[in-house]
Amino acid sequence: MSTRQHALKRSISATALGSLAAILSACVSTPPPTPDQMSRTKVETAPADLQLLCSNAVAKADRIDTTKVLPVSSSKLDSNTYQVELDAGGKKTSCLVDAEGNVKSIQPV
């Protein structure tokens, strides 16, 4: 075997080994990030029953069918109060409700 053929074989072998190493390194699984490393933070949403109370209150206040009022987001404001954002037939509305189910306010957004 000539020196040139031998060098070509070594080059092909090195390329094949490098490719295999790259493929195998892609298969190594890494553990998921810890919560403090994640881009999203935990946001506590309003329980479904409180969202439904807000939906019904908005439907009643706007005199529209309850099926036309949909909660689109919610969040906990403090230890006892939730804010529920609703779409009432295309009209954006915000509802404040406490943990006991008392609707505190309904405001257009």
Side-chain angles (χ1 to χ4, degrees):
M1 183 179 290
S2 72
T3 306
R4 191 171 141 197
Q5 287 175 330
H6 191 50
L8 182 61
K9 266 188 162 180
R10 273 191 286 174
S11 175
I12 291 172
S13 294
T15 302
L17 284 175
S19 296
L20 180 60
I23 290 168
L24 290 176
S25 70
C27 293
V28 175
S29 64
T30 58
T34 60
D36 62 320
Q37 295 173 330
M38 293 183 180
S39 62
R40 292 184 181 190
T41 57
K42 182 181 176 186
V43 175
E44 192 172 339
T45 60
D49 60 333
L50 298 181
Q51 293 183 41
L52 184 58
L53 283 170
C54 277
S55 293
N56 290 334
V58 169
K60 185 177 179 181
D62 289 349
R63 295 188 177 109
I64 60 174
D65 184 3
T66 56
T67 62
K68 304 287 184 197
V69 182
L70 300 172
V72 292
S73 69
S74 66
S75 59
K76 190 171 189 175
L77 298 180
D78 60 38
S79 63
N80 194 48
T81 309
Y82 294 91
Q83 180 175 13
V84 181
E85 301 293 326
L86 305 113
D87 182 326
K91 178 183 168 189
K92 306 296 182 197
T93 306
S94 178
C95 171
L96 294 181
V97 60
D98 67 20
E100 289 78 40
N102 301 305
V103 175
K104 299 296 185 180
S105 71
I106 298 171
Q107 300 291 323
V109 177

